[in-house]
Amino acid sequence: MTKPVFDRLGLWLWIGAFVIVQIMAWHAPDARSVVFVYRNGSEAFIAARPLYHVELAMGYLYAPAFAALYIPLLKLGPYVGDTLWRLLCFGVLTLAAVRQVRKIGGDDQAWRLSYGLFLALPLALGAVRNGQSTILLAGACWLLTLSALEGRRAETFLWASLAIIAKPTALVMLLLAGALRPRLIPVLVLAVAVVLAIPYAFASTDYINAQYADFFRMVTSMAVDHTGPFIATDFTAPFASIGLLIPEFDATIVRAIAALLTLWIVLQFDRRLDSNVRGLAIFLVAAFYMCVFNPRVEPNTYALVAVPAGLSVALLWQDEKAASMRWFVAVLLFLTGLTSLTRDMHNFFHPWFRPISVTIIACTLIGWFWVKGREKVIETRSVAHG
């Protein structure tokens, strides 16, 4: 039933939604947008002013390299510059989805891409509208995953650098890539080193050293200090919504256990799954961890997991054994993105709903990938003992 409808519909809706939000951004550049934060950061960088509010841990939360490299877009103004920024983020994520679909192969590539993007659109659209670097982070980390699994050194360096520039959270994906392909560790270390060195080409050493000191102090404090105005939407949010506050030490233990479990699952997927789908499964696991177990999570952070989950559902949809499961996961993924459609809905569902729904979606899809990998291992052993 879905094939004749979604062969092209989802892709056109994906592109059309981007065009519409861009028109809205032209009409009011700073309305429901975070791009002005990037502009302010670059302006402060040019004037050698402090980038960070360490005590509040709000405002500019990106590496100094981001401020330096955003300067050309700042000079182009809020219309041309912001448009190019959103186009870069949207284009990299779309490229990652297209490359993943081509990697999977088969006769239904257009349908799989279209249907997956349709399911992901509501959850990703808010971050696209706001111009958040989460969209660029998602695309760069996904492409990093695919390039690392294929052993492409130059591409791995490019996407690792872009991911770190987009958000420090990308370090999670770099660590997983290094664990999956140890021979690429020098490339990943070089990417981090280059990103750290970039700002020194644009400002004095003393100024950059001071910004790095504030940056690292702010990043480390965000995980332990929740006295500021920020409301976390990670796994602790459902408990906080009912008045059950999890001590930070206990939360850190949970995050550490989740990190080890994520690493183990990723290594198992790399060993058990076919090469055409392992990149999708591995990035889905990593994106789930970065959304639910990252201490600095907001509602639009869940855009990170939207497209890989959508493509995974599209892949699941072709499994006749999972008829009821595919409907449940598809509907839940689509509706999760609609929980911020109105202010009243947002107030009701924030911050407890998205970590619960995304956990259900991700665990269901990860479980399905696990079963497929186990079936492949059993088949391989049967052939070997033929």
Side-chain angles (χ1 to χ4, degrees), residues 83-309:
T83 299
L84 291 178
W85 166 252
R86 284 189 174 87
L87 188 60
L88 170 66
C89 298
F90 182 81
V92 170
L93 179 56
T94 305
L95 173 64
V98 171
R99 180 171 170 181
Q100 180 64 74
V101 167
R102 289 180 176 175
K103 180 70 176 178
I104 295 173
D107 298 329
D108 296 327
Q109 294 184 34
W111 173 86
R112 191 177 294 121
L113 175 65
S114 183
Y115 188 52
L117 292 177
F118 169 77
L119 294 178
L121 182 58
L123 191 55
L125 190 58
V128 174
R129 170 67 181 93
N130 293 353
Q132 290 187 325
S133 61
T134 299
I135 298 299
L136 179 60
L137 174 70
C141 285
W142 200 345
L143 290 166
L144 165 63
T145 304
L146 297 174
S147 298
L149 291 176
E150 295 171 5
R152 299 176 182 269
R153 295 179 181 271
E155 289 185 10
T156 298
F157 173 82
L158 170 64
W159 299 123
S161 302
L162 190 60
I164 287 291
I165 291 169
K167 273 192 175 182
T169 314
L171 184 61
V172 172
M173 196 64 249
L174 267 68
L175 292 173
L176 289 177
L180 289 167
R181 297 294 182 268
R183 66 179 181 274
L184 292 178
I185 291 177
V187 176
L188 298 171
V189 172
L190 179 62
V192 175
V194 169
V195 170
L196 292 176
I198 285 174
Y200 290 98
F202 299 91
S204 68
T205 301
D206 291 341
Y207 171 71
I208 298 302
N209 288 343
Q211 299 316 299
Y212 273 126
D214 288 347
F215 173 67
F216 291 120
R217 186 153 58 96
M218 182 189 64
V219 168
T220 54
S221 67
M222 286 193 304
V224 298
D225 184 7
H226 293 281
T227 59
F230 178 75
I231 300 176
T233 320
D234 62 349
F235 75 95
T236 65
F239 300 99
S241 298
I242 59 175
L244 182 59
L245 300 179
I246 299 178
E248 189 54 44
F249 178 79
D250 295 344
T252 301
I253 295 297
V254 172
R255 292 189 179 100
I257 294 173
L260 293 175
L261 183 59
T262 298
L263 175 61
W264 182 72
I265 293 174
V266 160
L267 293 174
Q268 293 300 311
F269 279 172
D270 183 43
R271 184 168 63 89
R272 296 185 176 192
L273 289 174
D274 291 329
S275 60
N276 59 338
V277 299
R278 69 169 62 127
L280 175 59
I282 287 172
F283 180 61
L284 175 67
V285 176
F288 168 59
Y289 177 85
M290 286 189 280
C291 287
V292 176
F293 296 99
N294 172 21
R296 190 75 185 189
V297 177
E298 58 188 32
N300 280 331
T301 304
Y302 287 89
L304 186 68
V305 79
V307 180

Side-chain angles (χ1 to χ4, degrees), residues 1-11 101 104-119 310-320 326-327 330:
M1 183 184 68
T2 61
K3 182 169 174 51
V5 176
F6 289 104
D7 255 351
R8 294 291 184 273
L9 177 61
L11 182 59
V101 167
I104 295 173
D107 298 329
D108 296 327
Q109 294 184 34
W111 173 86
R112 191 177 294 121
L113 175 65
S114 183
Y115 188 52
L117 292 177
F118 169 77
L119 294 178
L311 291 188
S312 298
V313 174
L315 199 61
L316 169 67
W317 201 267
Q318 296 173 306
D319 186 351
E320 296 297 334
R326 63 191 183 188
W327 275 106

Side-chain angles (χ1 to χ4, degrees), residues 22-60:
Q22 188 54 58
I23 293 173
M24 295 169 63
W26 286 334
H27 182 262
D30 293 337
R32 297 189 61 184
S33 172
V34 298
V35 183
F36 72 91
V37 175
Y38 310 148
R39 296 199 300 267
N40 292 343
S42 294
E43 290 172 351
F45 186 88
I46 293 172
R49 298 196 309 267
L51 293 172
Y52 308 105
H53 300 286
V54 181
E55 291 77 14
L56 292 177
M58 296 291 286
Y60 197 81

